[in-house]
Amino acid sequence: MSAEAADREAATSSRPCTPPQTCWFEFLLEESLLEKHLRKPCPDPAPVQLIVQFLEQASKPSVNEQNQVQPPPDNKRNRILKLLALKVAAYLKWDLDILEKSLSVPVLNMLLNELLCISKVPPGTKHVDMDLATLPPTTAMAILLYNRWAIRTIVQSSFPVKQAKPGPPQLSVMNQMQQEKELTENILKVLKEQAADSILVLEAALKLNKDLYVHTMRTLDLLAMEPGMVNGETESSTAGLKVRTEEMQCQIGSLSLHCTIDEKRLAGYCQACDVLVLSSDSTSQQLTPYSQVHICLRSGSYQEVIQIFIEDNLTLSLPVQFRQSVLRELFQKAQQGNEALDEICFKVCACNTVRDILEGRTISVQFNQLFLRPNKEKIDFLLEVCSRSINLEKASESLKGNMAAFLKNVCLGLDDLQYVFMISSHELFITLLKDEEQKLLVDQMRKRSPRVNLCIKPVTSFYDIPASASVNIGQLEHQLILSVDPWRIRQILIELHGMTSDRQFWTVSNKWEVPSVYSGVILGIKDNLTRDLVYILMAKGLHCSTVKDFSHAKQLFAACLELVTEFSPKLRQVMLNEMLLLDIHTHEAGTGQAGERPPSDLISRVRGYLEMRLPDIPLRQVIAEECVAFMLNWRENEYLTLQVPAFLLQSNPYVKLGQLLAATCKELPGPKESRRTAKDLWEVVVQICSVSSQHKRGNDGRVSLIKQRESTLGIMYRSELLSFIKKLREPLVLTIILSLFVKLHNVREDIVNDITAEHISIWPSSIPNLQSVDFEAVAITVKELVRYTLSINPNNHSWLIIQADIYFATNQYSAALHYYLQAGAVCSDFFNKAVPPDVYTDQVIKRMIKCCSLLNCHTQVAILCQFLREIDYKTAFKSLQEQNSHDAMDSYYDYIWDVTILEYLTYLHHKRGETDKRQIAIKAIGQTELNASNPEEVLQLAAQRRKKKFLQAMAKLYF
């Protein structure tokens, strides 16, 4: 054997095999299988999945001879299935935390009702009317378990639940979800009506002075063997898992089966209760720091909060997040008009900052903002906090270094020398910084201010020197950059213009950008203050909109609109247009994502913008794009096809494109010959993707053809078209665009493997001038579009097939299989249902076969040949003859349902002398459900079961 062949053989033998999943009906056939399965390290299916499967099968309705739906029959099969579900729950020790986490309310309700039934709780009798003390122990425990679950479920239903992201719209799935939702609501309604009774039952249980028993797998088996028992009085009534009285009381109090206590959570509850309800004998010494802070906040004793925070800088007992939340609360109160809290906010922020510094975190933006205008009081307080927050005798060198670096950086950030001297002469500063470091700091300050003779000693006369005008201008400009409050921006600009009249403050930050179509109008404003204010408000508003800070953007735009309305109708319309774009973005980022339609007035404003014919109004092209995309996304096809003014179709290319897309979507159900707009849309896109060619003579005399990819032959550039498409979210519109580009990609002459797409037949089959189309650009566009559409909805099987075809066409077979399998998984509940035949067409299956063949996974090839409408025996037999297979080989034989292929495998292994593999094939062919004399329904069920397991195994391999 060659070295290469040996390597391949080793790789094949070391590849792990996917064990087959155990089916629910197998537990009916073998009584001991359940316990063996549950004791596995990682049983598949998991215990809770088994409960669902058992109860689902036991509750399936039947159909009589008159084709009428009947309730599930009370036969031996269904009784055993219910008993199996109870035994799994007993194996989990009736742990409600596990059961509630994985089972829906209807399933758990059915399970516990079965427990009541098998525990001989009389049907129709109110639990509150039953004397728990006289009932058999297992019966009483079943009643307690049910009522504990009832109260827990009522409490849990009151909490808000994040809605799961909806997948592709499938009617059967949606109906099933709706039915489960209605069933859950009905059960909750009953539980809430009985809530008072459930509480009385649990309170009565607290008075019991006897031990109870909960069913185990053994006692449930005993119940199944004792048909003549009366009121549960059997051996199983006093057997099972013993629950002591104290443990039972803990169950009711904590609503958990076992007496397990989360000490940290309990401590948190105690602290929360301590804050809300203080005992009369509580003293400040007994209170936790949490409680002390809350009491001080409620009573307005903010100075005491500051003292607690300073002390905590040494003890580090309060979490940083809690301290930050206190600061946020104080900020909110200050912003509501309580100016007296401004000083408190700074002091609390200073305490938090020192804590951050000591623990190695960076200085917060809040501290920098509050320290923009330092004064003597702020410096004194900061130094006090620093001194009281570090024990120099016990502090590590790391802590000392952090504090020294902080004080040094504060000095370097100060422009007023008197404050530098206050810090540099402080005892803490002198202690922490060595002489060399102090001299280095002085040198740095001297370089910054060469004319000032610095000394380390404080100069008392400097304390009353006011800050210079240049310092004030710098600080105000800094505030101007940071502020997003329109009123504050206006006040700062008034102050700045009062200090100097020859500055253009709209140039302070190079980040302030206004579209060029607007800047000429704005910079033409004669009044300097008004010009600066309009420019800065618009620039900040546009920036806030870009970073999705829509609330501040709205405030800034509203202030700008109010300002320009007084003197410029042109700028007023500009601001109205920008506010329309902002409202579109706000809706799309908010309720629009959840599918809520926009308000009618927003749609009217969008129409008004598209129909606007005001001369000399500067317009941004992006607004027109967003408006047309908005109308398409919310299916305003009627307006785009019938009501849009004719002049717009001529003057606005995006309106023209939107009209063609909307009309094509409307005509889809009609006959092919009536789809005139599809042909018009095709021609428009072909023109956009065409290149203008020109001849150029080179230095060697030869004439070469130059293609200009971004030509102006179409109504817009290809890059503009792609940018517009990426504003769309409506699935049908995106599908139409994808279909068009796929067809255009397939038209080229040198194409080997076509890409498939929905609605591909509506497009023309040829192009008169193929040489004019830039097919390289088309291929790039198709890939970009698929990537974008899958980012919008990764569960659209049609788009996933297109992505798979692209990988197939570019010889990336493993990636192609990944997406073919994903397309099947999303429309079959991960293969638990049959994949629709319009998804796994013969062409898709054949491409999957080719992928597996080229990856040398020949057994997978043979199995996939069964998926075709006409089984491809020739390909299957040929692939099975390959001995160099890189898949699990004989481990896959359980997935073969075609007897002919299994017979061929038996012959092949016999011929090769492979006895073990022949036995595996014989075992597979000998399964009763593959017997040719079985009814067609049984054979189909056997095939579907094997398809499911094989596709799930493939998914695990390629996902």
Side-chain angles (χ1 to χ4, degrees), residues 79 83 117-120 136 138 215 217-239:
R79 286 195 295 272
L83 182 66
C117 181
I118 205 167
S119 301
K120 296 302 177 183
T138 51
H215 279 302
M217 297 181 76
R218 177 180 169 275
T219 60
L220 290 169
D221 281 332
L222 287 173
L223 284 174
M225 293 188 294
E226 298 172 2
M229 62 185 173
V230 179
N231 199 27
E233 292 289 355
T234 67
E235 177 195 348
S236 59
S237 300
T238 53

Side-chain angles (χ1 to χ4, degrees), residues 145-161:
L145 189 63
Y146 177 85
N147 286 281
R148 283 177 43 232
W149 168 74
I151 296 300
R152 286 168 64 114
T153 304
I154 293 169
V155 173
Q156 194 64 35
S157 68
S158 65
F159 298 151
V161 179

Side-chain angles (χ1 to χ4, degrees), residues 500-731:
T500 176
S501 58
D502 59 350
R503 288 282 305 277
Q504 295 181 335
F505 292 103
W506 62 269
T507 63
V508 164
S509 173
N510 59 3
K511 302 292 184 184
W512 293 340
E513 295 180 355
V514 166
S516 56
V517 291
Y518 298 159
S519 58
V521 181
I522 296 173
L523 297 180
I525 298 173
K526 294 181 179 179
D527 181 71
N528 291 343
L529 174 59
T530 306
R531 179 197 61 222
D532 286 345
L533 186 54
V534 172
Y535 190 99
I536 293 171
L537 288 175
M538 177 176 281
K540 283 178 173 285
L542 290 170
H543 172 73
C544 287
S545 179
T546 302
V547 298
K548 300 188 184 305
D549 183 1
F550 299 125
S551 58
H552 281 122
K554 193 162 188 123
Q555 293 174 14
L556 291 159
F557 280 169
C560 192
L561 174 63
E562 183 181 355
L563 177 64
V564 298
T565 299
E566 299 176 0
F567 65 89
S568 175
K570 185 182 294 187
L571 283 176
R572 178 182 179 275
Q573 188 59 52
V574 165
M575 291 314 304
L576 289 173
N577 296 344
E578 289 297 329
M579 291 185 78
L580 169 63
L581 181 59
L582 175 64
D583 288 342
I584 290 174
H585 287 161
T586 304
H587 180 267
E588 298 295 281
T591 55
Q593 285 190 333
E596 184 178 324
R597 280 190 64 79
S600 55
D601 69 306
L602 180 56
I603 295 175
S604 299
R605 288 166 60 200
V606 170
R607 290 184 179 186
Y609 176 84
L610 291 174
E611 297 170 11
M612 182 174 61
R613 299 184 72 176
L614 294 176
D616 302 328
I617 299 295
L619 300 174
R620 281 210 294 159
Q621 190 66 58
V622 67
I623 303 181
E625 287 183 57
E626 292 283 359
C627 285
V628 176
F630 176 85
M631 299 297 273
L632 286 169
N633 284 335
W634 296 105
R635 296 174 291 282
E636 291 291 323
N637 295 339
E638 206 67 29
Y639 172 78
L640 288 171
T641 53
L642 300 177
Q643 300 173 25
V644 67
F647 77 89
L648 273 179
L649 298 175
Q650 305 300 324
S651 60
N652 193 319
Y654 294 100
V655 174
K656 175 67 175 175
L657 185 60
Q659 187 254 352
L660 291 173
L661 281 168
T664 304
C665 290
K666 279 185 66 179
E667 290 180 359
L668 269 183
K672 182 177 179 181
E673 56 271 11
S674 69
R675 296 172 187 159
R676 173 63 194 170
T677 50
K679 185 172 182 295
D680 293 341
L681 179 60
W682 169 268
E683 291 173 352
V684 165
V685 173
V686 168
Q687 275 194 325
I688 293 173
C689 294
S690 295
V691 290
S692 59
S693 304
Q694 62 184 38
H695 297 277
K696 182 179 180 181
R697 187 175 299 278
N699 295 332
D700 57 356
R702 295 181 180 179
V703 175
S704 59
L705 185 66
I706 297 176
K707 290 186 175 181
Q708 295 179 343
R709 189 155 286 160
E710 287 291 331
S711 69
T712 55
L713 294 177
I715 60 174
M716 63 182 70
Y717 292 119
R718 186 183 66 89
S719 58
E720 293 174 330
L721 172 62
L722 193 58
S723 172
F724 171 73
I725 293 171
K726 289 184 177 180
K727 293 178 171 63
L728 300 173
R729 288 187 342 274
E730 212 287 316

Side-chain angles (χ1 to χ4, degrees), residues 14-40:
S14 64
R15 188 184 298 273
C17 302
T18 305
Q21 189 185 57
T22 310
C23 276
W24 62 269
F25 60 77
E26 295 179 47
F27 298 98
L28 290 172
L29 305 175
E30 185 180 342
E31 186 177 349
S32 61
L33 181 59
L34 180 62
E35 198 161 352
K36 293 177 185 175
H37 178 80
L38 293 174
R39 286 179 178 173
K40 291 179 181 178

